[in-house]
Amino acid sequence: MNEPHYEDQHAPLSYHGARRIVWLVFLLFVVWLILRALEPIILLFALVLLLAMVLNPIVVWLQKRHIPRFISVILLMLALFAVTTTIILFAIPPLTRQSQELVRSAPSVWQGIRVRIESLTKNYPEVREALPRTDEIAGRVGTTAATLGNFLLRSTLGFVGGVASFVLAVLLLIFVLASPQPLVAAYLALAPDRYREQAHRTLARLMRQMIAWARGVAINGVITGVSIGVSLWLIGVQPALMFGVFAFLGEFLPNIGAFLVSIPILLVALSLGATKFWLALGVIVVVYQVELNVLVPGVLGKEMRLHPVNILFFTLATATLFGLLGVFLAVPAAALVQIVIDEFYLQPRKVDYAALHREAAALVEGRM
């Protein structure tokens, strides 16, 4: 009888083993090239699957009311279309009007900013050395405007492709929501038998966290947007409605959203005078501090349990890989990686988190 062969873990690397490693590295490199070539498609499917996770509980709720799943999906799509149409009809006209007013007032806004900067440099000569001259700022603004113009031109030329991608995404979302069981079964079938339970828990935890994330971001966005818009309207910084909408959309861009929203608000407020600038800055600080210390821990913290450093890393990573649209995937990607590490690596090792936290606290406090 042949004895079972066990690989010696401490044996030196053989030619056969080295060749397998080389082929594995080569295969990973080829897979990476294919993924880079399919980047737009991967991004589209990732966003659709994320949205399907968020909308699936609504479809299940309708199913429990004895409505067939496909009919439930169609009703949900019609409801989303009705809500979107209502927003377009009632929100887009005032937003368009305020945007046009802001564009028309851009020269006066720039002139006001220039006057404030010159007044500041006269009163504080040391600031004059630190700041670029106004003509240099104007040149940079002009260059940026030209770049933005080229970007808008390319975006306009790609509008038809964007509409086609949107229609494809809607159809794909309908197909995924109407029949998700084969996709879930295929995912579970790919997992080895010994990891089937972890794979099941990973998907279940990810679905719960994505629902909590979408609900939390929507709640935070509404509260933040209304607070910013109403506060700016009260202190006389216009267009307050447009800035409120920007604040709402900024909630979907973790970490960088608040920074991007604050820049145009402060520039417009600076053009109106120092008092408006400080009032606008106070509004931004108060609103985002309340969000950071109250809303985020209360709405997102209990479910997501993601460290801000992790979110920032994945924000930069997804932005580098997929551009600005990829930032929407930052929190889902961070949650997925955290869940996979927890299910497949940490839980099998039965990590004593209490002991680890005590050890970490001792190191942070310098108690070696």
Side-chain angles (χ1 to χ4, degrees), residues 21-297:
I21 293 176
V22 171
W23 275 109
L24 178 61
V25 173
F26 177 74
L27 179 62
L28 292 176
F29 179 71
V30 172
V31 171
W32 169 254
L33 292 179
I34 295 175
L35 291 178
R36 291 295 294 176
L38 299 177
E39 177 184 309
I41 299 176
I42 294 174
L43 179 61
L44 175 65
F45 273 73
L47 292 173
V48 169
L49 292 176
L50 173 61
L51 190 57
M53 289 183 186
V54 174
L55 296 178
N56 182 66
I58 302 177
V59 178
V60 173
W61 183 83
L62 292 173
Q63 276 188 290
K64 292 179 179 179
R65 270 63 185 174
H66 307 291
I67 302 176
R69 185 173 184 93
F70 184 77
I71 302 299
S72 301
V73 174
I74 297 301
L75 292 176
L76 178 59
M77 292 296 105
L78 291 176
L80 291 176
F81 177 77
V83 172
T84 304
T85 304
T86 303
I87 293 175
I88 292 176
L89 291 178
F90 289 95
I92 295 300
L95 285 176
T96 303
R97 183 173 62 254
Q98 290 194 358
S99 300
Q100 293 174 348
E101 293 176 356
L102 183 60
V103 171
R104 284 196 301 267
S105 62
S108 61
V109 169
W110 165 243
Q111 183 62 29
I113 295 174
R114 183 171 182 173
V115 170
R116 303 303 167 189
I117 293 177
E118 291 178 351
S119 175
L120 181 64
T121 55
K122 288 180 181 179
N123 296 329
Y124 302 96
E126 60 275 10
V127 178
R128 184 186 311 164
E129 303 298 330
L131 292 176
R133 292 176 306 191
T134 53
D135 54 347
E136 294 179 0
I137 298 176
R140 294 177 186 177
V141 171
T143 304
T144 305
T147 304
L148 180 60
N150 293 331
F151 171 76
L152 292 176
L153 178 61
R154 292 194 301 269
S155 301
T156 303
L157 294 176
F159 178 74
V160 176
V163 172
S165 298
F166 176 77
V167 173
L168 177 62
V170 172
L171 293 176
L172 181 61
L173 179 62
I174 293 175
F175 294 148
V176 172
L177 284 175
S179 182
Q181 290 87 352
L183 297 176
V184 176
Y187 159 76
L188 295 175
L190 290 175
D193 292 339
R194 63 181 182 274
Y195 295 129
R196 180 70 55 79
E197 185 178 354
Q198 289 95 322
H200 174 88
R201 290 200 305 264
T202 297
L203 183 58
R205 288 177 58 182
L206 181 63
M207 292 176 66
R208 288 195 301 268
Q209 288 210 355
M210 291 306 95
I211 295 171
W213 169 74
R215 181 175 61 247
V217 169
I219 294 173
N220 290 354
V222 171
I223 295 176
T224 303
V226 171
S227 301
I228 291 286
V230 172
S231 300
L232 294 179
W233 176 73
L234 290 175
I235 65 176
V237 176
Q238 297 292 344
L241 175 61
M242 188 172 69
F243 290 145
V245 173
F246 286 169
F248 170 78
L249 297 177
E251 292 299 306
F252 292 89
L253 303 177
N255 295 317
I256 65 173
F259 175 75
L260 295 177
V261 170
S262 302
I263 292 176
I265 294 176
L266 294 179
L267 288 177
V268 172
L270 181 60
S271 68
L272 300 175
T275 303
K276 300 288 188 183
F277 173 81
W278 291 114
L279 288 174
L281 180 61
V283 166
I284 292 173
V285 170
V286 170
V287 170
Y288 282 110
Q289 282 298 314
V290 170
E291 180 202 3
L292 182 63
N293 294 289
V294 178
L295 295 180
V296 171

